[in-house]
Amino acid sequence: MRNAEVTKDLILRESGNLFNTQGYKATSISDITKATGLTKGAIYRHFESKSDLEQQALRSLAKLMFNELGSSISKAGTFQLKMEATFSFFEEYMHTPLYEGGCPILNAATEADDTNSVLRQQAFNMLVQFKASAKKIIENGIKNNQVKPNTDAAFYATIIIATLEGGIMMSKLEGNPESILLAIQHLRSLTDQISI
């Protein structure tokens, strides 16, 4: 890797952790210079603006999340195992997070809401991708006779993601993994109900 790529990766990693823990609005370029040991000029050589850095950092966090989750899912051979890979990812997140601060989709969506339309759209796109992946797992399960044929894939994909995201939010707020573990316990039961 060239020095420019290494520097950009460092900026994305450190700013991503800061944005995801402190918030996008609350994190200043000065915070990022302290975390990276770089000057403002060095940061702006790689990013047009703070907004550009925010967007690229969120994309970087999403890529990390989806690559890790996708890798585990792709190794699993059945619907049940793919769902278990998904649940394990969220279960383990509380103990060994890929990044600091919780789920980047939830954090960006909550903060951006009506104040940052670009970040909100980016978080929305991540959610769409996540829902589409969950829906595809269920549809493939139906096709492979592993899921009951009358299962509404879009409905269950929404319920699964909403439950996981809600469980993560509650566990982060409560400072312990109990809520996400209870949420996953419920989802395992739900998965059993729709499985053949």
Side-chain angles (χ1 to χ4, degrees):
M1 225 187 248
R2 294 181 333 216
N3 282 348
E5 290 173 17
V6 171
T7 303
K8 186 171 183 177
D9 285 348
L10 171 69
I11 296 167
L12 286 172
R13 185 176 62 251
E14 295 299 331
S15 64
N17 279 332
L18 287 169
F19 291 141
N20 211 41
T21 52
Q22 295 179 181
Y24 289 83
K25 196 171 185 180
T27 300
S28 68
I29 293 296
S30 294
D31 293 329
I32 296 165
T33 61
K34 283 180 200 155
T36 59
L38 299 169
T39 64
K40 286 184 184 182
I43 290 168
Y44 284 122
R45 269 196 291 282
H46 295 278
F47 303 95
E48 294 173 13
S49 62
K50 184 182 175 214
S51 176
D52 178 41
L53 176 53
E54 290 172 351
Q55 292 166 51
Q56 289 195 47
L58 180 55
R59 272 196 295 276
S60 179
L61 289 172
K63 184 178 177 186
L64 184 60
M65 175 183 166
F66 288 132
N67 283 351
E68 186 75 20
L69 184 54
S71 174
S72 297
I73 290 169
S74 67
K75 291 174 191 166
T78 65
F79 166 73
Q80 283 274 16
L81 291 174
K82 287 180 187 299
M83 293 312 302
E84 188 53 40
T86 303
F87 301 151
S88 293
F89 174 85
F90 280 88
E91 212 167 38
E92 290 166 19
Y93 177 81
M94 294 304 294
H95 306 291
T96 53
L98 296 172
Y99 31 69
E100 298 169 28
C103 178
I105 302 172
L106 181 64
N107 290 344
T110 303
E111 183 176 347
D113 196 18
D114 296 321
T115 60
N116 186 333
S117 60
V118 175
L119 212 56
R120 184 186 185 284
Q121 183 62 47
Q122 210 170 323
F124 173 76
N125 293 344
M126 290 167 65
L127 177 61
V128 167
Q129 181 182 349
F130 195 13
K131 279 176 73 175
S133 297
K135 184 172 177 256
K136 188 74 173 163
I137 291 169
I138 297 167
E139 288 170 345
N140 286 340
I142 294 168
K143 196 186 323 180
N144 295 322
N145 296 318
Q146 298 165 351
V147 174
K148 292 175 182 171
N150 61 343
T151 302
D152 183 338
F155 170 81
Y156 280 97
T158 299
I159 296 302
I160 289 164
I161 291 168
T163 304
L164 289 170
E165 292 292 345
I168 286 284
M169 180 273 295
M170 291 174 70
S171 279
K172 290 296 291 178
L173 201 55
E174 294 164 346
N176 68 67
E178 186 178 353
S179 290
I180 187 60
L181 295 177
L182 288 172
I184 288 170
Q185 181 183 328
H186 170 69
L187 290 176
R188 283 185 174 124
S189 171
L190 199 65
T191 299
D192 288 341
Q193 289 172 30
I194 64 171
S195 295
I196 294 175

